[in-house]
Amino acid sequence: NAGVTQTPKFRVLKTGQSMTLLCAQDMNHEYMYWYRQDPGMGLRLIHYSVGEGTTAKGEVPDGYNVSRLKKQNFLLGLESAAPSQTSVYFCASRTSGGFNEQYFGPGTRLTVT
Amino acid sequence: AQSVSQHNHHVILSEAASLELGCNYSYGGTVNLFWYVQYPGQHLQLLLKYFSGDPLVKGIKGFEAEFIKSKFSFNLRKPSVQWSDTAEYFCAVSPNSGYSTLTFGKGTMLLVSP
């Protein structure tokens, strides 16, 4: 069991460039989440999905899009990167039952110059 | 919407000192409560969780937390810290309902000096 994996681990973008972050989980979890972590801000929810083909906005969705075409994958897209999107991005997943115990991936460190 | 407040942003302790990290939340209904730890350069790992029952919960590595409903608190404790406990600690809360999301506190950075 690899758990939750994220690709890539590091990325540097120029302002205006686009990219997609991939999250994959092999635990057959229904729910998946994307967070960003910034110093002194904790983790803030960007978007989440409660099942294949469904997505919903979190606390800080602006500038990001997501897609959940397959149950095991959750993609986070930046269409036109901005320096304010420099952050560490974490993906998480959990079962639909239970009590919201989430399992986290190793993170992607993104720098936008 | 729920919110979480962690009392200290930075804590510095010597090895063998006792630890207590404060966490308060605001939400009017039943909640699930979590403490996560993030060691330097690593992802978040679950330390412990409270869903129901005994308000004193024990987690990994000797950590425990007490849920005090009347105070909306879920403080993390460890009787004797080690240098390897140096990490950032996050309290999180989730309403006990179907599609609920986790709300995290801003974190407490713990530095344990040997």
Side-chain angles (χ1 to χ4, degrees), chain B:
Chain B
Q2 65 271 25
S3 66
V4 180
S5 174
Q6 292 185 236
H7 304 167
N8 309 98
H9 295 299
H10 293 91
V11 173
I12 300 174
L13 294 173
S14 299
E15 272 194 317
S18 64
L19 170 72
E20 181 160 3
L21 301 182
C23 173
N24 285 90
Y25 68 93
S26 66
Y27 184 73
T30 305
V31 293
N32 301 319
L33 296 157
F34 305 84
W35 276 99
Y36 281 87
V37 61
Q38 185 178 31
Y39 298 103
Q42 297 189 25
H43 62 285
L44 273 76
Q45 302 172 43
L46 182 67
L47 259 185
L48 47 77
K49 60 195 176 193
Y50 172 81
F51 297 150
S52 64
D54 189 344
L56 184 63
V57 292
K58 296 191 184 299
I60 61 171
K61 305 187 180 186
F63 286 91
E64 64 179 32
E66 185 176 14
F67 171 49
I68 303 180
K69 190 175 181 180
S70 61
K71 296 185 178 180
F72 297 89
S73 70
F74 190 54
N75 292 353
L76 181 70
R77 300 194 292 246
K78 186 171 184 178
S80 176
V81 295
Q82 301 172 313
W83 175 78
S84 58
D85 293 324
T86 294
E88 191 159 19
Y89 294 80
F90 294 94
C91 182
V93 63
S94 170
N96 189 8
S97 61
Y99 291 166
S100 57
T101 58
L102 266 183
T103 298
F104 285 85
K106 294 185 177 181
T108 297
M109 185 67 218
L110 171 65
L111 177 62
V112 180
S113 57

